[in-house]
Structures are given as C-alpha cells and as structure tokens.
C-alpha cells in the first residue's frame, strides 16, 4: 500500500497548504506587508522551507524503506560480521515465518506492510509507509525542516497578533482576524508534536538505535540488571560515528535529502568491531 493517498496524508498536505497560505497572505502581509523588503525576505525563506518540507514528505511517502533480498542468507562463519541476532527463545537465527526468509540484523516484520523491513524504526500512518533503512534519513530531514518552518511561522504569528492587537487598541476597533485563532490552533500543537518527534529521533540517532531497539533495550537492560550484568547497545559506535552511520560521512550534507544512503542495510558495524583502546567515549 506504499505510495497510496490515505486520509492522514490528505490531512498533512491540507495542513501544509493552509499554513503556507495563512503565513504568507495573513501573517506576513498583515504585519510586515508582503511587498516590503522584510515581507519579501520572510516570504522567500518560508516558501523555500515549505518547498523542502513538501519535497521531503513526498519522498518519505514514496520511497521504499528497504526490503530483504530474496537471496539473503546469514553466514555465521563470516568473520567480519561479529553480531548475529538470534531469537529470544531457542537461540536460533531470526527467521520470519510470514515471509519465509531469514532476517538480517535490525530487520523486523511490519504487519501493516506485510513484509520485513531493513533497520525498521516504525510504521508511520502519516506517510502510509514504514520508516526503515532506505528512508529513515529523509523522514528525519522532513521532520527537521518541518520544525524550522513551524517555528518561523510561529514567530510571524506572535508578531502579527501583537501588531493587530496594538492597532485595535489604537483604533478602538474589534478587527482581530479570526484567521489568527485558527492558525494558532493548528500551528501550536503541530509545532509541539514535531519538536518532540525531532528531539526523540535526535536521541535515537546519537545512540544509533531505532524505536524498536530502544524498547527492546529497556527490556534487555532490566534483565541484565537482574543478573548483575551491564547492557550495552551493540550498534552504539560513539556520537560522531552514530551520526555518520545515519546521516552520511559528509557533515555538509547531513541535512540534504538527496545524499546516498550509508550501507546496504544487511550488515552494520557494531561496538565490538572497534578496539577498546580507540572506542569513543
């Protein structure tokens, strides 16, 4: 069903379109004047942000998150692959009964997409797609620019409301635009929700975890503490290496949506691949 237009996607696109129109033709025009230097500058910046948001959102909706090749087979004798994920019960190599194939590390079966997804983070109803190895970065970049656009619009909303209220007091008039109320009712919760989501995924990237691995790690940590052991996430390579593994080796392209994805999604570097003497702290 990936790429199909669903109600959540229509809601997202409608919200983007409404906020774009309101920000330009109500907030900027009502406060700064759309054709002033300040108005044109803000309109240009916000239009660029909106274009990036729509583009990255479209790619996140359409891009395949990454599936397991039919030819994949785990090689337990591969000396370069230091971690082999196994089933919690029995200790066998992870095998998907529904897909009838072995699962590479960090791969999980999505019951909605009805397939195994490489480095699966979660299934997102707002893009009608899984967030996985191939589209995780574009999803993150979409959220990042979405937060910036929302904050920009929020600043313009506060300034425009203050300007309108000041004019109403001077003119003893009740011309407060109801569009401000509707815009605030949409913009405020959206800004909060996207900011929380961005903060969550920044945390996950810094730890080199997926949402699924975070919850699995909490359980593993509790079990380890019961027997006196210390749990260590096997894919945590240190902050910089974690960032590189998700966003790419070129720091100047970390927030560029068109960079190449790192790795095949079938094998990942682990903390056990790094000598203790050089392991980043």
């Amino acid at each position: 069903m990936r790429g199909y237009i669903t109600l959540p996607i229509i809601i997202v696109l409608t919200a983007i379109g409404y906020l774009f129109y309101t920000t330009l033709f109500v907030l900027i025009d009502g406060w700064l004047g759309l054709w002033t230097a300040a108005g044109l500058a803000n309109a240009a910046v916000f239009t660029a942000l909106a274009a990036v948001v729509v583009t990255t959102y479209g790619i996140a909706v359409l891009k395949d998150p990454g599936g397991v090749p039919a030819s994949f087979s785990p090689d337990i004798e591969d000396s370069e692959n230091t971690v082999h994920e196994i089933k919690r019960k029995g200790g066998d190599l992870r095998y998907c009964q529904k897909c009838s194939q072995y699962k590479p590390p960090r791969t999980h079966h999505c019951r909605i997409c009805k397939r195994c997804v490489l480095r699966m983070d979660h299934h997102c109803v707002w893009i009608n797609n899984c967030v996985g190895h191939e589209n995780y970065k574009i999803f993150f970049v979409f959220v990042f620019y979405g937060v910036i656009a929302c904050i920009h619009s929020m600043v313009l909303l506060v300034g425009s409301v203050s300007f309108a209220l000041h004019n109403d007091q001077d003119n003893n008039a009740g011309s407060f635009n109801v569009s401000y109320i509707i815009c605030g009712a949409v913009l405020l919760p959206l800004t909060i929700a996207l900011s929380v989501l961005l903060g969550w995924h920044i945390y996950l990237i810094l730890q080199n975890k997926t949402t699924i691995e975070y919850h699995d790690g909490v359980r593993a940590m509790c079990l380890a503490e019961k027997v006196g052991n210390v749990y260590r996430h096997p894919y945590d390579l240190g902050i910089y290496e974690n960032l590189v593994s998700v966003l790419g080796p070129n720091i100047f392209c970390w927030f560029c949506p068109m960079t190449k994805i790192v790795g095949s999604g079938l094998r990942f570097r682990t903390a056990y691949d790094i000598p203790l003497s050089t392991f980043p702290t």
Side-chain angles (χ1 to χ4, degrees):
M1 297 298 292
R2 175 175 52 86
Y4 280 67
I5 301 299
T6 58
L7 180 59
I9 291 178
I10 294 174
I11 292 173
V12 171
L13 294 177
T14 301
I16 293 174
Y18 172 77
L19 290 176
F20 177 75
Y21 175 84
T22 305
T23 300
L24 259 66
F25 300 106
V26 176
L27 304 184
I28 294 178
D29 193 35
W31 178 26
L32 303 171
L34 188 57
W35 301 108
T36 63
L40 286 173
N42 276 277
V45 171
F46 190 78
T47 299
L49 286 173
V52 174
V53 167
V54 171
T55 301
T56 52
Y57 179 73
I59 297 174
V61 169
L62 298 172
K63 190 173 182 61
D64 192 318
V68 182
S71 59
F72 172 78
S73 179
D75 184 2
I76 60 175
E77 297 181 355
D78 184 359
S79 60
E80 295 183 3
N81 193 1
T82 55
V83 171
H84 294 280
E85 295 182 356
I86 58 176
K87 295 180 180 179
R88 293 194 187 100
K89 295 181 179 180
D92 298 329
L93 292 175
R94 296 166 66 240
Y95 185 85
C96 181
Q97 299 292 341
K98 295 179 180 179
C99 296
S100 299
Q101 61 184 161
Y102 284 101
K103 295 180 183 179
R106 316 182 81 176
T107 297
H108 295 274
H109 184 87
C110 176
R111 59 182 179 82
I112 299 175
C113 294
K114 295 180 173 57
R115 61 182 295 207
C116 286
V117 177
L118 298 176
R119 196 187 180 276
M120 180 178 173
D121 186 88
H122 69 290
H123 183 91
C124 180
V125 297
W126 298 106
I127 63 173
N128 189 33
N129 198 4
C130 273
V131 177
H133 176 69
E134 296 290 335
N135 67 347
Y136 182 84
K137 178 182 175 180
I138 199 69
F139 175 81
F140 175 77
V141 172
F142 157 67
V143 175
F144 174 78
Y145 284 110
V147 169
I148 294 178
C150 284
I151 292 174
H152 187 189
S153 184
M154 184 66 73
V155 171
L156 292 170
L157 175 62
V158 172
S160 187
V161 167
S162 301
F163 180 77
L165 290 174
H166 180 72
N167 279 356
D168 282 348
Q169 290 177 353
D170 289 347
N171 300 328
N172 294 319
S175 60
F176 186 78
N177 197 329
V178 70
S179 296
Y180 297 149
I181 299 176
I182 299 175
C183 182
V186 174
L187 188 57
L188 181 59
L190 182 61
T191 303
I192 294 174
L194 285 178
S195 297
V196 171
L197 184 62
L198 177 64
W200 170 246
H201 281 284
I202 289 175
Y203 166 79
L204 290 178
I205 290 174
L206 293 177
Q207 300 289 322
N208 202 357
K209 295 179 180 179
T210 64
T211 299
I212 295 174
E213 289 170 350
Y214 169 81
H215 293 293
D216 287 345
V218 171
R219 289 192 292 267
M221 187 180 300
C222 293
L223 293 174
E225 289 177 352
K226 288 182 179 180
V227 296
N229 294 330
V230 177
Y231 172 76
R232 177 182 175 186
H233 181 57
Y235 301 105
D236 185 359
L237 307 175
I239 292 178
Y240 177 74
E241 291 296 333
N242 291 343
L243 288 167
V244 167
S245 68
V246 175
L247 302 179
N250 190 341
I251 190 173
F252 299 105
C253 295
W254 278 1
F255 299 101
C256 173
M258 302 303 178
T259 52
K260 186 178 180 181
I261 305 300
V262 178
S264 65
L266 300 175
R267 176 186 296 175
F268 298 90
R269 289 182 63 202
T270 71
Y272 306 105
D273 298 325
I274 302 176
L276 293 176
S277 59
T278 60
F279 191 81
T281 57

